Amino acid sequence: MGLRILSEKERQKNIDEKRSALIAQLKGVSKKFKSAKSESLHNINLEVYQEDFLSILGSSGCGKTTILKMMCGLIKSTEGKINWPTSNFQNSSENPANLSFVFQEPNLLPWMNVYDNIKLPLKIYKENSYKADEEIYDIIKLVGLKGFEEYYPRQLSGGMSMRVSIARALVTQPKVLLMDEPFSALDETRRFDLSQEILKIKKEKNLTVVYVTHSIYESVFLSNRIYVMQPNPGKIFEEFDFSNQEKPEDYRFTPQFFEQTKIVSDSLKRAQNAK
Amino acid sequence: MLNSKVHSILVILILFLIWEIFFHLLNLKWYLLPPPSMIVSSIFDNAHLLFISLLTTLEIAIFALILSVIISTGFSIIFYFSKFVETTLTPITVILQVTPIIAIAPLISIWVDSSEIATLICAFLVAFFPLLANTIAGLKSTEKNHLELVSLYGANKYQVLRFVVIPNALPYFLSGLKISSGLALIGAIVGEFVIGPISGHSGLAYRIIESGYQLDIPKMFGAVFLISLSGIMLFNIVRLISYLVLRKWHSSYQQID
């Protein structure tokens, strides 16, 4: 079975079947910013299941980032509900360790070196019970930053800074990783390398990832489920599921990959013109 | 860096030399424009007197600076937390800033008995505002992304201040301190001019007035020279502090290699 568009009925069936694996659910979520005339997001219904690599794909300005920020409580929704059935926080970051956010830019604090930047969440989260240095060094090694602990952000390249940012997100041992176009500023090669590594880390740590992107290739390559969004106001246009599909080692260079990219690309095109 | 410093010192020395040569060539009156050699020897002749005055002036300037640091940091943090206090008090600080210190100094000298404390108040009033304004600007310029980052992990107000807001404000504070270091000295001199000699051991401003009475122009130049020297010293101390604090991460100290 390849990739297919889910109908509303199939979606409902999915929710019933995989209820126990449901990690987050957005129900009829809308957002209207105070300064805006109309809604930025309208009636978003979205499910995240355990160990999903879920991509939210859409053009710039369609509210992808807003969805992510609402999920982690940085922005409050105007309408609707965001449920986290398996964890005890509701629409806010009451349990921050379960959830981490990777920003669009590395967003490092320039006055801290790599090590302190990575440790920052722990310093905030459990001020008095610092995790053993070893565990931090493990994560530094995992993202390939060994030997750069003492470097300051201004001394790092874009790709390196992003690695620090990912390490910082991983240091709290989150179950869910929210990523907001994390590699959009990197060149093709770096982006591919880091995507590959994210998949590896996801597998190793049994992470659930929600990934916001405008890159069709990235979303098809990385995810098992894709939500395509339409703009003005932001809505979910179509949902793709290819959970049942095995991705071969060189997936990126298979005809299957190009075929699926085309399907998603067509969907995105239709989403642009949808009312 | 070092090279350019050597160059500028060299240029100053050459200017002094030209001054010296022209003095002898044009046969200028020493009591109008003494040559550098005479100024230097006058500084040595009056070394003890000038040195004590230098210390007095420096002491007032440095105290005023320390006082402005403490009070302006305190105020700016209060302003940061309370919009109400900020909007209420800002006009007052502006009034204090825009009123020339010369105009207020006589009042201060009437209210305060000790001429030393009166001068200190003058120096403080001048040095305080740039530091306050800069620090507030620094506290307010925190990046939204950084704030979101720490609030994502549930940081409390104190943690936000400690991890993000204060480090972010440091470069602003330090550049304010550079301005204030010069102004504190100016305040200390102007204050003494208006208020009168500081009891016991007068500062450099009084040495200038005194030299005027005695028509000892070389000594007057000597006092002026020492004032500039202490200004340069204060500025460089602040610059050194700023370098030590920021060199590792701030873009103004970016190493190009």
Side-chain angles (χ1 to χ4, degrees), chain B residues 23 27-35 38-39 214-219 221:
Chain B
F23 174 81
N27 224 350
L28 296 174
K29 306 278 185 291
W30 67 267
Y31 50 82
L32 290 180
L33 183 67
M38 199 179 266
I39 295 168
Q214 300 165 348
L215 278 178
D216 189 348
I217 308 305
K219 192 169 103 185
F221 266 97

Side-chain angles (χ1 to χ4, degrees), chain A residues 105 107 110-111 127 154, chain B residues 145-146 159 163 247 249-250:
Chain A
E105 312 84 40
N107 199 9
W111 44 85
E127 180 92 40
R154 69 162 190 208
Chain B
N145 267 346
H146 291 163
Q159 286 174 321
F163 290 128
R247 81 198 137 120
W249 63 270
H250 199 248

